[in-house]
Amino acid sequence: MRHFLTLNDLPPADLETIVRRAIALKAEPGLAADLRRKTLGLIFEKASTRTRIAFETAMAQMDGASIFMTTGDSQLGRGEPIEDTARVISRMVDCVAIRTFDHALLERFAAHSRVPVINALSNDFHPCQLLADIQTFVEHRGAIAGKTVAWIGDGNNVCQSYINAAAAFDFRLRICCPPGFEPGADLLKARGDRVSLSREPAAAVRDAELVVTDVWASMGKEKESTGRLETFSGFQVNSELLSGAAPDALFMHCLPAHRGEEVSAELLEREDSVVWDEAENRLHTQKALIEYLLRQKPAP
Ligand code: CP
Ligand code: NVA
C-alpha cells in the first residue's frame, strides 16, 4: 500500500508520471478517471484554502465524493486515538488526506489505514505543493532536471519538501535562511550532494532558474511572527532580488502570501507572475495523485 506522506514515498518515475498526467488532465479534464462511488476523507487540523478546495473539486470533477472534517468537530477532538480513527475511517472511505501539525500523527494514521493516506501538509512536509510547483515549472520552462532553484526564507515544511524534490526531480537547491531557521540537519546531510545552505540572498539567487519563498511564520508559529519580521527582514524576494537570477527565472510562492514581508506586492502582482498558475495546478496534480493512489487495491 503506497501512501503519500512525503515525496520519498513514490518512485521518482511515478512522480514524473503524476506531473505529466496533471498536465494532460489540465488540457483535457474529460480524461480523468471515473470515481463514482469513491470517497475521499479529509481530516484537517489547520486552516486551508487551496488544498481543501483542490481535493474537493478534484473528487467532484471525477464524480466521486469527499467528506471534510476538522479535528475539533470529530471525536479526535475529544481524545479518540488516531489509530482507532484510522481503522474506522479507512473501512469506509477509499483515500484519506490529512492536514496536521505533528508529522508522526500522519505516520500513525497510515500505519493503521487500509487505504492510501495523503499528507495535505504537516509541520515537516508539504509534498502536494511540490507536485504543483514542478508542474508549473515544466509548463513554463520545460524539464526541471539539471536546473538551479533558490529557496529564500524559512527552512519550513515547503522548504523540506523542496529538498526531497531536488533528489526526486534531479535539480540543485540553494537554501538561504537566517541562522536558526534552517531545515532539518539530517535532511540537509542526506541530500548534501545537491542541496547547499547559505545566508546571502543575492548570492543564492545568482543564475537560478527558479526562486521560491514562503511565509516567515508558518501555521502554528503565529506567536513568533513579530520577532521573525526583524530576523527575516533582509530575506524579502522582490523584483530587484529576482533581477540577479537567470534572465528568465520564475518566482513561486505556495500562498497565502504576506505582501511586504517575504514577497513584495509588486513582484506578486507582476503580469508575468506564475503563482496563480501554481495555485491552479494544485487541482490538476491532486487529481492525478488521487487517480494514481486509487489504482492500488485496498489492504486486506
Ligand atoms: N498552499 C497551500 O497549501 O494553501 P492552503 O493552506 O490554502 O491549502
Ligand atoms: N509554510 C506554510 C505553508 C502554508 C500553505 C505553513 O505551514 O503555514
Side-chain angles (χ1 to χ4, degrees), residues 7-259:
L7 291 168
N8 298 339
D9 286 339
L10 305 189
D14 290 10
L15 294 172
E16 297 270 6
T17 302
I18 290 169
V19 170
R20 266 201 310 276
R21 177 70 176 162
I23 293 171
L25 291 177
K26 185 175 183 175
E28 214 176 327
L31 291 176
D34 179 351
L35 296 189
R36 254 174 298 177
R37 290 189 290 278
K38 300 285 183 195
T39 306
L40 171 70
L42 296 154
I43 307 173
F44 278 42
E45 206 176 1
K46 294 179 176 183
S48 170
T49 297
R50 282 143 286 268
T51 309
R52 176 182 177 181
I53 296 283
F55 274 128
E56 294 204 27
T57 305
M59 288 306 288
Q61 291 184 355
M62 294 189 283
D63 290 332
S66 51
I67 300 174
F68 178 86
M69 70 187 195
T70 63
T71 331
D73 58 33
S74 72
Q75 297 289 5
L76 276 168
R78 296 179 59 253
E80 184 168 18
I82 194 75
E83 289 79 4
D84 295 0
T85 309
R87 288 186 184 107
V88 172
I89 292 182
S90 72
R91 282 174 180 240
M92 299 184 190
V93 305
D94 303 280
C95 188
V96 181
I98 302 177
R99 171 167 285 203
T100 189
F101 292 88
D102 183 5
H103 190 78
L105 196 114
L106 268 165
E107 291 170 341
R108 283 164 57 200
F109 191 106
H112 293 84
S113 174
R114 285 183 171 184
V115 300
V117 179
I118 299 172
N119 179 0
L121 182 148
S122 67
N123 282 358
D124 295 344
F125 296 102
H126 194 8
C128 291
Q129 183 65 48
L130 264 290
L131 295 177
D133 287 20
I134 302 299
Q135 178 185 349
T136 310
F137 190 91
V138 171
E139 282 177 345
H140 288 273
R141 296 287 183 267
I144 198 163
K147 299 285 197 281
T148 298
V149 177
W151 174 275
I152 311 296
D154 189 20
N156 63 14
N157 43 8
V158 181
C159 176
Q160 296 208 137
S161 282
Y162 260 94
I163 295 178
N164 287 339
F169 292 96
D170 191 23
F171 58 82
R172 282 182 297 278
L173 177 63
R174 299 187 195 137
I175 296 169
C176 182
C177 55
F181 296 91
E182 299 83 3
D186 289 355
L187 207 53
L188 275 176
K189 202 169 154 205
R191 303 299 187 199
D193 54 331
R194 56 182 70 246
V195 181
S196 62
L197 186 66
S198 68
R199 306 293 180 200
E200 180 42 57
V205 304
R206 200 163 298 138
D207 303 322
E209 281 100 350
L210 170 62
V211 177
V212 195
T213 192
D214 185 13
V215 289
W216 291 336
S218 285
M219 289 182 276
K221 300 280 182 195
E222 288 83 0
K223 282 199 187 112
E224 297 176 22
S225 297
T226 312
R228 286 182 178 225
L229 282 181
E230 198 176 319
T231 312
F232 284 84
S233 61
F235 288 77
Q236 184 185 84
V237 181
N238 48 42
S239 287
E240 193 190 334
L241 184 71
L242 200 64
S243 68
D248 59 351
L250 293 178
F251 165 71
M252 289 192 204
H253 189 311
C254 63
L255 305 174
H258 291 177
R259 288 166 171 78

